[in-house]
Amino acid sequence: MVEDIHQTDQVAFGLSAALLVVTAVGALVFGRIADRIGTRLVMAIGWSLLALSAIGGVLVTNLVETTVVVLVAGVGNGAATAVSWP
């Protein structure tokens, strides 16, 4: 964060906290969705969002793009976590 998009450590910690919160909320939401549509589809959605955020993470150049990538990664991680943990 500091070297690539020239943000402060506080912004980096804030994005880390946002990732944690979005992952937790995503896990709750996708856990309920998995009960309705199935765990395989939710896992596929989660992995797809994680792959999309990995590609986006290579291309980011500013804080707004980084924030979007972090939010997409959090949702994807939440979906994958919801169906992979017992």
Side-chain angles (χ1 to χ4, degrees):
M1 289 285 301
V2 175
E3 294 175 12
D4 291 335
I5 63 170
H6 309 293
Q7 296 297 318
T8 64
D9 286 335
Q10 289 81 12
V11 172
F13 287 127
L15 283 175
S16 296
L19 177 64
L20 181 64
V21 170
V22 171
T23 297
V25 172
L28 292 172
V29 170
F30 277 103
R32 293 189 182 266
I33 291 172
D35 290 338
R36 294 178 188 224
I37 66 172
T39 57
R40 284 187 173 189
L41 184 56
V42 170
M43 182 66 82
I45 291 168
W47 284 350
S48 297
L49 289 173
L50 285 171
L52 182 65
S53 66
I55 293 167
V58 174
L59 304 173
V60 295
T61 58
N62 59 36
L63 183 59
V64 173
E65 293 171 351
T66 304
T67 304
V68 170
V69 167
V70 165
L71 294 177
V72 171
V75 171
N77 191 30
T81 300
V83 297
S84 64
W85 284 14

